[in-house]
Every structure is written in structure tokens, then in C-alpha cells.
């Protein structure tokens, strides 16, 4: 089904776009996939979502973008540590079979070194586990911090939206008052013009036979009979 063109972006649309892009950044995905996902949800094209993100939404979430990128790096580091732990566990599981073969081919003094090697391998694997758990804890704390910052940005956005609406209402009220003043000014000028003409006509009646006329610039000029 062809996607319908929609020019108006609501606050909820912008919020969905920002949350989706930030999630794809944290997960190591691309922004293009995020635009495609939002486009499917809002019945828009990915290009329209990308243009909206770069033109309007991105500048409002610059701090959140930096945090999402750091989380992506931490996630990759934690994954690498997990892979190292898994390899250490596999080596530890294979260790008894190799040590059994070595004990059959060597003397008693040489077999005494096998438990020490296995202990060292276990200690190394334990250090990897501890480091992995520390990275998971940092990732959890960063995620909580990101959520708090997103909530703060959303609250700030709502507050600015309310201020904008209040200012728009004040502006509309001032424009209406200005129109009223303009109308009152026009009426006042018409009254003053009629009063000036009445004064001129009264002066003509008092002068008797003389006749005058009012020029465009407001001066009186005597008319010869």
C-alpha cells in the first residue's frame, strides 16, 4: 500500500522518532533502519523521517545521542568480555582431560604442577566474571541516567510548548487591540475633519458677502463672486 504524504508532525510523532533512533544507536543499528521503522508506524517514507530528524528533532536530543553512543561502546565491551569468559570456561572444562593424559606419561613430581595450572586458569576466569559484572552494573546505571535525562528533556519540551501557546494567545490579543485602536483613530480623524469644516462654514456666514473655500491642505482661500 502506498504511503500517504503527511506534512504535519505532532509532538508524539517527534517523540516516537527520537526514541526509535536512540534505541537503534544503543543497539548498534543504523539510523536508516530506525527511519524505516518509524515510517512503517506513521505511514511515512523513510526519507521524510530522516529529513525530520536532521532538520528538527536531532538538535533537541544531542546529549541523549552522546549517551546512546557511549552505551553502544559499553555494550560492545561487555560482549567482548563475555566472549572472553566463555572461552575461559571452555578451557577450564577441557583442562581435566589434558591433565589426565599428562599424568599417565610423566612422573609424580610433574603431576603436582597440574592443579596449580588449573587454579590459575580458574582465577583468571573469575577475574573476567568480576569485570563483566562491573560492566553490566555500569551499563545499568547509564541506562537509568539516560531515562532520567529523557524524562527531563520531555518535561522541558512540554514547558516550552505551554509558554509558546501562552505567548501566541497574548500576541493574538495585542493584534486585536491594535485593530481596535486603528478603528478608533479613523473615527476620531473623521470627527475632527467634520468639526473643522463646520467651523469654516460658520466663519463664512459671519463674513457676509465674502465667500471662501477650503483647500486640500486645510487653508482658506477667498472666492471672488
Amino acid at each position: 500500500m502506498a504511503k500517504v504524504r503527511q506534512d504535519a508532525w505532532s509532538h508524539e510523532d517527534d517523540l516516537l522518532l527520537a526514541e526509535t533512533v536512540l534505541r537503534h544507536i544503543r543497539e548498534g543499528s543504523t539510523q536508516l533502519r530506525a527511519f524505516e521503522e518509524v515510517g512503517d508506524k506513521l505511514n511515512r517514507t523513510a526519507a521524510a523521517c530522516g529529513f525530520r530528524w536532521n532538520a528538527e528533532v536531532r538538535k533537541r536530543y544531542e546529549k541523549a545521542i552522546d549517551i546512546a553512543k557511549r552505551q553502544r561502546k559499553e555494550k560492545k565491551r561487555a560482549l567482548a568480555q563475555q566472549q572472553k569468559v566463555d572461552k575461559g570456561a571452555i578451557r577450564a572444562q577441557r583442562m581435566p582431560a589434558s591433565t589426565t593424559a599428562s599424568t599417565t606419561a610423566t612422573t609424580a613430581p610433574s603431576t603436582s604442577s597440574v592443579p596449580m595450572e588449573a587454579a590459575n586458569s580458574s582465577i583468571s576466569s573469575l577475574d573476567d566474571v568480576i569485570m563483566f559484572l562491573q560492566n553490566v552494573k555500569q551499563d545499568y546505571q547509564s541506562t537509568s541516567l539516560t531515562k532520567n535525562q529523557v524524562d527531563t528533556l520531555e518535561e522541558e519540551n512540554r514547558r516550552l510548548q505551554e509558554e509558546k501557546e501562552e505567548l501566541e494567545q497574548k500576541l493574538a490579543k495585542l493584534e486585536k487591540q491594535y485593530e481596535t485602536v486603528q478603528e478608533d483613530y479613523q473615527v476620531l480623524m473623521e470627527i475632527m475633519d467634520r468639526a473643522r469644516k463646520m467651523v469654516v462654514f460658520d466663519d463664512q456666514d459671519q463674513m457676509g458677502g465674502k465667500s471662501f473655500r477650503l483647500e486640500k491642505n486645510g487653508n482658506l482661500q477667498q472666492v471672488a463672486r
Side-chain angles (χ1 to χ4, degrees):
M1 182 177 66
K3 294 182 178 180
V4 181
R5 175 183 175 88
Q6 299 177 5
D7 293 331
W9 282 78
S10 65
H11 173 69
E12 290 75 12
D13 294 343
D14 288 343
L15 185 59
L16 174 63
L17 178 60
E19 290 177 348
T20 305
V21 173
L22 291 174
R23 173 166 53 82
H24 277 262
I25 292 175
R26 286 194 298 268
E27 294 176 353
S29 180
T30 62
Q31 293 185 9
L32 179 58
R33 292 183 179 178
F35 298 152
E36 292 175 350
E37 179 179 340
V38 175
D40 292 338
K41 293 180 179 180
L42 299 181
N43 197 24
R44 297 178 183 270
T45 62
C49 297
F51 179 80
R52 180 67 178 179
W53 168 257
N54 293 319
E56 296 291 338
V57 182
R58 180 186 179 90
K59 56 188 177 183
R60 283 183 265 165
Y61 293 90
E62 291 181 353
K63 293 183 179 179
I65 293 173
D66 294 337
I67 294 173
K69 290 180 179 179
R70 288 199 298 269
Q71 288 179 339
R72 179 179 61 191
K73 292 181 180 179
E74 292 173 358
K75 186 175 181 181
K76 290 182 178 179
R77 190 182 302 114
L79 182 60
Q81 292 294 336
Q82 179 62 36
Q83 292 176 352
K84 186 183 295 184
V85 171
D86 294 340
K87 291 180 180 179
I90 294 173
R91 287 198 302 269
Q93 291 176 356
R94 293 177 177 176
M95 187 66 69
S98 61
T99 54
T100 302
S102 62
T103 52
T104 58
T106 57
T107 61
S110 62
T111 56
S112 62
S113 62
V114 174
M116 184 62 68
E117 293 177 357
N120 292 334
S121 177
S122 300
I123 292 174
S124 177
S125 300
L126 182 61
D127 291 338
D128 293 337
V129 171
I130 293 173
M131 185 176 296
F132 171 72
L133 293 176
Q134 290 176 347
N135 291 330
V136 170
K137 180 180 179 182
Q138 292 177 357
D139 187 41
Y140 174 77
Q141 292 175 347
S142 299
T143 303
S144 300
L145 180 61
T146 301
K147 184 178 184 302
N148 293 333
Q149 289 181 345
V150 170
D151 293 339
T152 301
L153 291 173
E154 290 178 355
E155 182 64 26
E156 181 69 13
N157 191 17
R158 283 193 293 268
R159 185 182 66 81
L160 293 175
Q161 191 70 21
E162 292 176 356
E163 291 181 358
K164 177 186 176 183
E165 293 176 356
E166 183 179 354
L167 291 174
E168 288 177 349
Q169 292 176 358
K170 290 182 179 180
L171 178 60
K173 185 177 180 180
L174 289 175
E175 289 178 349
K176 186 175 181 180
Q177 291 177 353
Y178 176 76
E179 292 177 358
T180 303
V181 171
Q182 285 289 98
E183 293 175 356
D184 293 342
Y185 175 77
Q186 293 294 334
V187 172
L188 179 61
M189 292 300 296
E190 292 177 358
I191 293 173
M192 291 179 62
D193 187 56
R194 286 198 297 267
R196 185 173 58 180
K197 290 180 179 180
M198 291 175 64
V199 171
V200 171
F201 293 150
D202 290 342
D203 292 341
Q204 289 179 354
D205 293 339
Q206 293 176 3
M207 291 178 181
K210 294 182 180 180
S211 141
F212 297 86
R213 68 179 179 182
L214 184 65
E215 295 181 343
K216 293 182 179 180
N217 56 11
N219 298 326
L220 293 176
Q221 182 180 9
Q222 184 175 357
V223 179
R225 294 188 175 182

